[in-house]
Amino acid sequence: MVKERERWGSRSSFIFAAVGAAIGLGNVWRFPYITYRYGGGAFLIPYLIALITAGIPLMILEYSIGIKTQGAPPVALKKIWAKAEWIGWFSVVLVFVLAAYYANIMSWAVNYFYHSFTLAWGKTGPEINNFFNNVMLNKSTSPGVLGMVQWPVLLGLAITWIFIYLCLFRGVRTLGKIVYFTVGIPWLILIIMVIRGLTLPGAIEGLNYYLTPNFSALKDPIVWLAAYGQIFFTLSLAMGTLIVYASYLPEDSDITANAFITSLANCGTSFFAGFAVFSTLGYLAGSMGVTVPEVTTSGLGLAFITYPTAINLLPVASQLFGALFFLLLLTLGIDSAFSQIEPVVGSFVDKWGLKKEWILPAICIFGFIVGIPYTTRGGFYWVDIIDYFVANYGLTIVGLLECIVIGYVFGASKIRRYINSVSDVTIGPWWDIFIMVITPAILGISLIRALYKLMTEGYGGYPRWTAFTGIGLIVLLIVISFILSKSKEVTHE
Ligand code: PHE
């Protein structure tokens, strides 16, 4: 007996789910901080190039893999090429590692939601900075010193996982309904934050930093890899999410229009959120008498410093807006968070015919446990380090491998014919050139150059051993992927 595959309720549910998976903390937390770290306007150029040369072509590719094979990543890639199953597993284990720290950032937002009722984060720039680093996280001095678990952060983490579970256990049909809310509402509040930011004194300084290109930064391979990493992260590429979501669509579903809509809606949101963050940064710099790059050293915490500042400065009802803002940040993140778990669950279900009823809670509990070290005093540094390695090295490696498998083994033009046969908007041979030559070449070159720089300089000013831990993790995940792909399938009749 072949079990009927789960299905979305409608095409728009799928688009909302895909947009919901894409739009998340990656847009309002990660994009601003990565942009800040790599020099504002300097970063936007590689970011745009990455969107065009990898983001859109690969999104089309992943949708088509999911729709055509009707399977979660390991099964899907195996159908494309028997030897490629491990690549599917690699994307699944990567997204699991990502989910564990992603939930931790959600937990910071849960805490801020709580604190917004009293505006506990303080009033001035330095106070707000201090609240994030020294009160809430109680940061230790280095990644080597983990220290105690911070209980409120741990509690927030547990709450996040419970919500992820609740969103997923009813299956994709319900999911399709939840996402209408989790995508629509956050946009409204973002608009308020942008308007508030832009009307602050000094906003223009921040915008200058955000929008003025700096061509000399383009020489740095690290900036390029970061741009590709961010595009993968924000579009949820190379993590199985899009493959598994697309696999719940019928085989004749449109591909290209969906891909353009999702990627443009997503990157538009990031760009827009940048205005809220950088205008507020300009204000903060002015009020503290420093330049924009000097406002904070904890790039990763940028969003947790600028948004509270903007909230404090709202003319009326800051508490209410604060609570609303963090609640909405959470709704924005939650659909991304559960979209990271769905491919993991889907892969186990598809390969071993395991029952979703128990594999889902098991994975949620495991994800929670893996996330506990991040709630310690040193956890902040590890979010930074693991995020860097997963996004920049893990995801780009998967992207590169997908290009090779589809481009050369399966045949780019063959899959393009399939894409065009089901899509409203057809794509030309340019796409083959991207998948076969341009995208893999850029990814490969950036990876090698950045790796070289990493070996010689380490990462982020942390002790050198942390960089080896990061690389070690990627290697370990590859080994696990091979083991998973070699294990025998069990087909339940
Ligand atoms: N794209 C999401 C964001 O920007 C993160 C994500 C990663 C979602 C992987 C799904 C899968 O926040």
Side-chain angles (χ1 to χ4, degrees):
M1 189 192 76
V2 180
K3 215 170 109 225
E4 188 68 45
R5 195 166 181 78
E6 281 191 86
R7 292 284 172 221
W8 297 104
S10 64
R11 171 172 172 180
S12 65
S13 295
F14 164 73
I15 295 191
F16 267 84
V19 172
I23 301 183
L25 302 180
N27 306 67
V28 288
W29 156 74
R30 198 175 192 277
F31 173 79
Y33 107 70
I34 294 284
T35 309
Y36 181 68
R37 175 181 285 174
Y38 294 108
F43 182 74
L44 286 180
I45 304 168
Y47 178 77
L48 267 180
I49 295 179
L51 169 67
I52 297 166
T53 59
I56 296 175
L58 274 171
M59 187 176 275
I60 296 177
L61 179 93
E62 292 203 346
Y63 280 166
S64 65
I65 296 181
I67 295 179
K68 191 168 167 51
T69 62
Q70 298 280 300
V75 172
L77 274 138
K78 191 175 177 186
K79 282 190 187 165
I80 301 279
W81 184 33
K83 292 204 172 84
E85 183 183 336
W86 73 273
I87 302 172
W89 281 113
F90 186 33
S91 67
V92 170
V93 289
L94 275 171
V95 78
F96 180 76
V97 172
L98 188 145
Y101 73 77
Y102 198 90
N104 199 70
I105 296 155
M106 297 280 290
S107 159
W108 300 349
V110 171
N111 276 273
Y112 268 69
F113 171 67
Y114 172 75
H115 291 305
S116 59
F117 290 100
T118 53
L119 301 180
W121 47 66
K123 291 206 169 52
T124 60
E127 268 173 31
I128 296 177
N129 238 319
N130 180 53
F131 181 81
F132 177 75
N133 291 310
N134 303 329
V135 180
M136 188 182 77
L137 299 181
N138 191 11
K139 262 166 50 182
S140 65
T141 45
S142 87
V145 187
L146 283 186
M148 270 297 285
V149 162
Q150 300 300 296
W151 298 109
V153 182
L154 187 73
L155 183 66
L157 189 66
I159 295 175
T160 305
W161 277 106
I162 291 172
F163 270 97
I164 296 176
Y165 173 75
L166 291 178
C167 288
L168 282 175
F169 89 113
R170 303 283 302 272
V172 300
R173 269 184 181 262
T174 321
L175 212 92
K177 301 209 180 75
I178 300 174
V179 290
Y180 284 111
F181 294 96
T182 52
V183 174
I185 310 172
W187 251 94
L188 282 178
I189 202 89
L190 204 55
I191 293 175
I192 299 177
M193 299 297 273
V194 170
I195 295 176
R196 174 68 276 207
L198 291 180
T199 49
L200 288 173
I204 194 78
E205 283 310 311
L207 294 185
N208 276 341
Y209 183 75
Y210 182 34
L211 300 172
T212 314
N214 166 2
F215 293 98
S216 65
L218 298 183
K219 289 201 278 300
D220 186 355
I222 299 283
V223 175
W224 281 94
L225 195 64
Y228 280 87
Q230 173 60 15
I231 281 294
F232 280 95
F233 186 101
T234 190
L235 296 178
S236 318
L237 285 171
M239 284 175 273
T241 297
L242 297 183
I243 296 184
V244 80
Y245 270 20
S247 77
Y248 300 136
L249 280 170
E251 261 167 281
D252 55 355
S253 308
D254 174 88
I255 293 172
T256 49
N258 284 350
F260 278 105
I261 296 173
T262 345
S263 42
L264 296 178
N266 174 73
C267 293
T269 306
S270 290
F271 189 60
F272 190 67
F275 281 85
V277 170
F278 283 92
S279 56
T280 312
L281 263 176
Y283 162 82
L284 272 175
S287 71
M288 290 158 66
V290 294
T291 63
V292 171
E294 287 165 336
V295 173
T296 172
T297 46
S298 80
L300 203 66
L302 185 64
F304 293 88
I305 291 161
T306 52
Y307 293 124
T309 305
I311 290 166
N312 277 353
L313 292 164
L314 287 170
V316 284
S318 321
Q319 277 96 338
L320 180 71
F321 272 110
L324 218 58
F325 176 74
F326 282 104
L327 189 66
L328 295 173
L329 198 67
L330 289 168
T331 62
L332 211 110
I334 194 78
D335 46 9
S336 300
F338 63 63
S339 75
Q340 295 155 7
I341 297 307
E342 185 61 31
V344 186
V345 174
S347 301
F348 282 97
V349 171
D350 282 356
K351 177 148 182 173
W352 288 293
L354 296 175
K355 288 234 168 16
K356 208 168 176 173
E357 289 87 281
W358 67 265
I359 190 78
L360 173 64
I363 287 176
C364 289
I365 292 170
F366 189 48
F368 170 70
I369 294 171
V370 173
I372 293 177
Y374 296 118
T375 68
T376 61
R377 296 184 55 201
F380 173 88
Y381 303 110
W382 287 100
V383 173
D384 186 2
I385 295 165
I386 303 297
D387 175 64
Y388 176 77
F389 282 94
V390 166
N392 292 291
Y393 294 92
L395 303 185
T396 48
I397 291 175
V398 173
L400 177 65
L401 293 171
E402 282 180 350
C403 286
I404 294 171
V405 170
I406 294 288
Y408 293 92
V409 183
F410 189 82
S413 56
K414 193 162 132 207
I415 202 149
R416 182 163 58 85
R417 273 198 298 282
Y418 167 72
I419 295 171
N420 284 340
S421 71
V422 293
S423 300
D424 302 335
V425 185
T426 55
I427 45 173
W430 59 265
W431 187 79
D432 303 7
I433 300 175
F434 271 115
I435 293 298
M436 296 181 70
V437 186
I438 301 179
T439 314
I442 301 186
L443 288 177
I445 294 170
S446 317
L447 267 169
I448 293 168
R449 290 182 59 206
L451 200 61
Y452 175 75
K453 197 162 168 193
L454 180 77
M455 290 299 180
T456 47
E457 291 171 21
Y459 166 63
Y462 297 121
R464 190 70 68 84
W465 62 268
T466 58
F468 292 109
T469 313
I471 299 201
L473 173 76
I474 300 291
V475 174
L476 177 71
L477 295 182
I478 294 180
V479 172
I480 294 178
S481 312
F482 267 106
I483 296 175
L484 284 167
S485 73
K486 291 283 172 267
S487 62
K488 279 253 289 277
E489 272 169 53
V490 179
T491 35
H492 283 248
E493 290 301 316

